[in-house]
Amino acid sequence: MHQGKEVSLRSDAQRNRERILDVALAELTRSADVPLSAIAKKACVGQATFYRNFPSREALVLEVYRHEMQQVADAATQLAATREPDVALREWMDHLARFAMAKAGLADAIRQATSAPGNHGKPGHGPVTSAAESLLRAGEEAGTIRPGVTADDFLLAIAGLWQVDPHGDWQPRVGRLLDLVMDGLRAGAPGR
């Protein structure tokens, strides 16, 4: 096969996969029991393409979860490159909040997927933890975040996100919560 055509096929396959994941996130957030055929149809891919990418419901749900975590982690890198460290951290917290609200909608689907026989359990939070650590260290070096806060400390401090009702008017409440955490992270910073 001609190399240009091969690259084109690979990028088409990648676009199909991304489209399936985007549609699956929206549909599974609405209903954990949405038929896979409905996801394939909305993503405009055939059943064969769908099952080649995701051979089971469990594989799809866990990949949606992993994909979302990676998107959140990638947002940290983009923000760190374009914002002051403390501003990057606060904006990234908003990305985390949107992830938390989507994850709450996906909770039933994730529970079903991780309790399926032969499954390997829920994916870890590695990319998100690494992103938090990176943003915290950048803020500490810039003198805008208090020294010594770990990614685990940070994730524990924002754990309230996962208690907020994703179906209500969550944005104002989450904004106040994250501002409060951010104020705490800035308190005692040498550059303040």
Side-chain angles (χ1 to χ4, degrees):
M1 185 185 286
H2 184 271
Q3 194 173 358
K5 196 170 183 182
E6 213 173 284
V7 169
S8 175
L9 281 175
R10 277 201 304 270
S11 63
D12 283 349
Q14 186 58 38
R15 275 194 298 274
N16 283 341
R17 187 175 175 80
E18 295 280 329
R19 202 164 50 243
I20 291 167
L21 289 170
D22 288 345
V23 170
L25 173 64
E27 294 302 307
L28 288 165
T29 298
R30 270 196 285 275
S31 166
D33 300 316
V34 64
L36 297 185
S37 57
I39 294 172
K41 188 174 179 185
K42 279 201 172 179
C44 302
V45 297
Q47 297 283 353
T49 298
F50 184 91
Y51 285 106
R52 191 166 47 247
N53 280 282
F54 304 105
S56 67
R57 174 177 290 277
E58 291 74 25
L60 174 65
V61 169
L62 295 177
E63 187 55 30
V64 165
Y65 185 65
R66 265 191 292 269
H67 179 71
E68 285 301 291
M69 281 199 297
Q70 191 58 56
Q71 298 282 93
V72 170
D74 291 347
T77 306
Q78 292 161 5
L79 289 165
T82 58
R83 309 280 195 279
E84 291 300 314
D86 58 332
V87 174
L89 178 60
R90 180 60 187 85
E91 287 188 27
W92 186 67
M93 289 161 80
D94 288 331
H95 283 265
L96 265 178
R98 288 190 293 276
F99 171 63
M101 294 306 106
K103 181 184 172 291
L106 274 174
D108 285 343
I110 292 166
R111 254 191 307 280
Q112 289 170 17
T114 54
S115 64
N119 137 339
H120 302 295
K122 194 157 109 176
H125 292 91
V128 169
T129 303
S130 297
E133 191 67 41
S134 171
L135 289 170
L136 288 164
R137 294 298 66 84
E140 189 176 321
E141 285 168 27
T144 55
I145 299 294
R146 67 190 306 153
V149 179
T150 68
D152 285 342
D153 296 337
F154 170 77
L155 292 171
L156 194 56
I158 63 163
L161 283 177
W162 279 266
Q163 306 305 313
V164 176
D165 178 5
H167 306 295
D169 185 18
W170 58 267
Q171 287 96 335
R173 187 168 196 194
V174 164
R176 287 192 306 274
L177 172 70
L178 295 180
D179 285 342
L180 185 64
V181 171
M182 196 68 215
D183 288 347
L185 290 169
R186 287 180 172 133
R192 289 255 154 230

